[in-house]
Amino acid sequence: MKHRRISRRRTMLAGAGAGALALAATATVTLANAHAAPAPKAAKLSPAAATALASQLKSGTAGAYYDAQAKKLVVNVVDQASAATVQAKGAEARIVKHSMAQLDATRQTLKAKATIPGTAWAMDPRANKVVVTADRTVTGAKLDRLTKVAKGLGDTVEIRHSKGEFKPLIAGGDAIWGSSARCSLGFNVVKDGQPYFLTAGHCGNAVKSWSDQQGGQEIATTDQSTFPGNDYSIVKYTGNADHPSEVDLYNGSTQKITKAADATVGEKVQRSGSTTQVHDGTVKALNASVNYQEGTVDGLIQTDVCAEPGDSGGALFDGESAIGLTSGGSGDCSNGGETFFQPVPAALQAYGAQIG
C-alpha cells in the first residue's frame, strides 16, 4: 500500500523505540577467588543492543537498566551464579536485595488491598522497590489505607506523592476530533491490508466518528476500543486522508516510523501530541498500574515526559521505533509530572495490525 503524506493538522503520527532496561542495584558483583580469572567487563552497547541483550537475560534476574553515560547494560541479580551468567553475556551484574518474584508479590498485594483511585505503582529498578505514587486526591481514609498496606510490605515498597491528579488526557481542540472531544493520533497501521490508526482507548470509548478538524467531514471511525484494563483503540480510515508512517515533529519535518519496539528503563524518548507538540524525557519504569477514576490500567510505561489534555493517544517514540500511546498522568508542561503510555506492541498484537 502506498501511503501519502498527511498534513500535521489532519493527522499525527508517531513511533516508539526501545532503549534501556533498568533495575536497582546495591553492590557490584565480583567473582573473587585466589585463582579465578577476572570477571569480564561489561561491553559498551547502544540502547538498541542493550535492549536486545536484556531480553536474553530475564531468567534468574531482577530486571535491568541501560546506563546511557557508561553505555552498558546493568542487570540486577540476587546470587553469584546469576551474576556469572550476566557477566559472561557482556552486561554488568549487581547484587540486590529483592528478587523479581518478591516485587511481583508486592504488586499483587497492592492490587488486592490498595486499588485506590489516584494511585499508581511500578517497579523502580534502581531503587529495587515497588514505588507507589499517590496524587493529590488521595487523602484522609484513602491515604491511611494506602499507608497501612505499604507498611505491611516493608522495604519492598516506597510511597511518593504527586501534586497533580492522575487522569486521561482528553480535551476539546483541534487534531483528531469527535463531536465531544479531541485526542491525538498515535501511529498509522495496516490491518488486513487496510489503513487504520492507533490512539488511546479512552478516546475510542468517547468518540466513534473522527474528523481532522472541528466540525469537519468524517475521515475515520472507531473499530475497537479498550479502556480501562488497557488503553488502546484502533480506528479505520473511511475518508480521503493521507496516512504515512511518520511522526509530526512540529518543526516542518517528520520522523519516519518503521517498527514497533518495547521500552527500556533509562531510554531517552520523545512524545508528539496535538496540545503541547513535541517533548522529550526518560522511561522511568515499566509494567506500571494506574488507578484512574474510571478504573485501573495495567502494563503501562511510566515516564517523566510532560503531557496535557488533548495529547491523549499521541505517539511516544525513539527514532524510527513506535513505543507508546499517551494514556494519562498528572501535571503539565509548565510544572512537570508523570505521564503513562500504553505500549504499542501490545496494541498491535491485540488488533492483529502492523506499523505501516
Side-chain angles (χ1 to χ4, degrees), residues 21-25 63-67 72-76 86 91-94:
L21 285 162
L23 278 189
Y65 70 91
Y66 182 63
D67 184 334
K72 62 185 178 182
L73 180 70
V74 180
V75 180
N76 286 350
V86 165
E92 179 176 315
R94 291 190 174 185

Side-chain angles (χ1 to χ4, degrees), residues 3-355:
H3 286 169
R4 294 171 293 140
R5 172 163 297 190
I6 184 168
S7 66
R8 288 180 294 163
R9 184 178 182 186
R10 299 183 75 180
T11 346
M12 302 182 57
L13 307 156
L21 285 162
L23 278 189
T26 57
T28 300
V29 174
T30 56
L31 303 178
N33 184 293
H35 303 290
K41 291 184 178 180
K44 287 193 173 184
L45 302 168
S46 67
T51 298
L53 178 57
S55 67
Q56 303 173 27
L57 294 171
K58 292 182 179 179
S59 178
T61 72
Y65 70 91
Y66 182 63
D67 184 334
Q69 185 172 3
K71 295 183 178 180
K72 62 185 178 182
L73 180 70
V74 180
V75 180
N76 286 350
V77 296
V78 294
D79 57 55
Q80 292 282 358
S82 297
T85 299
V86 165
Q87 290 172 327
K89 291 284 188 177
E92 179 176 315
R94 291 190 174 185
I95 293 288
V96 294
K97 181 177 180 180
H98 304 301
S99 68
M100 186 64 76
Q102 290 173 307
L103 297 177
D104 283 341
T106 291
R107 290 171 54 89
Q108 290 304 313
T109 298
L110 288 166
K111 183 175 183 178
K113 298 182 178 181
T115 298
I116 300 167
T119 61
W121 50 76
M123 192 199 72
D124 182 339
R126 293 179 173 86
N128 190 224
K129 296 180 180 181
V130 175
V131 174
V132 180
T133 304
D135 73 13
R136 65 187 179 193
T137 69
V138 182
T139 59
K142 293 192 293 185
L143 182 57
D144 291 343
R145 174 183 164 194
L146 178 63
T147 302
K148 181 178 179 180
V149 173
K151 185 176 180 180
L153 292 168
D155 64 356
T156 64
V157 68
E158 175 184 345
I159 296 179
R160 298 175 186 173
H161 298 272
S162 172
K163 295 180 180 180
E165 179 180 347
F166 293 136
K167 54 188 175 182
L169 300 173
I170 193 169
D174 57 10
I176 51 171
W177 284 85
S179 60
S180 60
R182 81 161 158 90
C183 286
S184 298
L185 189 149
F187 303 93
N188 279 333
V189 300
V190 174
K191 177 183 177 183
D192 298 328
Q194 299 297 312
Y196 292 73
F197 66 78
L198 297 177
T199 189
H202 65 270
C203 295
N205 283 3
V207 176
K208 298 307 177 185
S209 177
W210 294 97
S211 175
D212 60 357
Q213 56 185 306
Q214 188 174 18
Q217 292 186 336
E218 179 183 280
I219 65 165
T221 59
T222 299
D223 183 62
Q224 298 180 63
S225 183
T226 302
F227 177 82
N230 295 296
D231 196 2
Y232 45 59
S233 179
I234 189 166
V235 182
K236 185 175 183 179
Y237 282 105
T238 59
N240 185 27
D242 296 334
H243 38 80
S245 190
E246 300 173 353
V247 181
D248 190 346
L249 298 180
Y250 285 91
N251 60 2
S253 64
T254 60
Q255 169 64 61
K256 184 178 181 180
I257 300 302
T258 62
K259 59 186 176 181
D262 293 320
T264 302
V265 175
E267 177 179 6
K268 301 296 183 182
V269 290
Q270 291 181 286
R271 177 197 55 75
S272 181
S274 61
T275 300
T276 58
Q277 302 184 3
V278 178
H279 287 270
D280 58 18
T282 303
V283 175
K284 294 297 185 180
L286 303 176
N287 198 26
S289 296
V290 183
N291 299 304
Y292 296 122
Q293 298 296 326
E294 298 84 351
T296 301
V297 180
D298 296 313
L300 298 179
I301 303 164
Q302 182 173 344
T303 76
D304 61 6
V305 185
C306 72
E308 296 182 7
D311 286 327
S312 274
L316 183 73
F317 60 100
D318 180 359
E320 295 187 1
S321 296
I323 297 177
L325 305 167
T326 306
S327 174
S330 66
D332 53 40
C333 288
S334 296
N335 301 308
E338 304 85 11
T339 305
F340 299 90
F341 297 84
Q342 167 68 56
V344 169
L348 294 175
Q349 182 176 11
Y351 295 133
Q354 301 83 38
I355 292 294

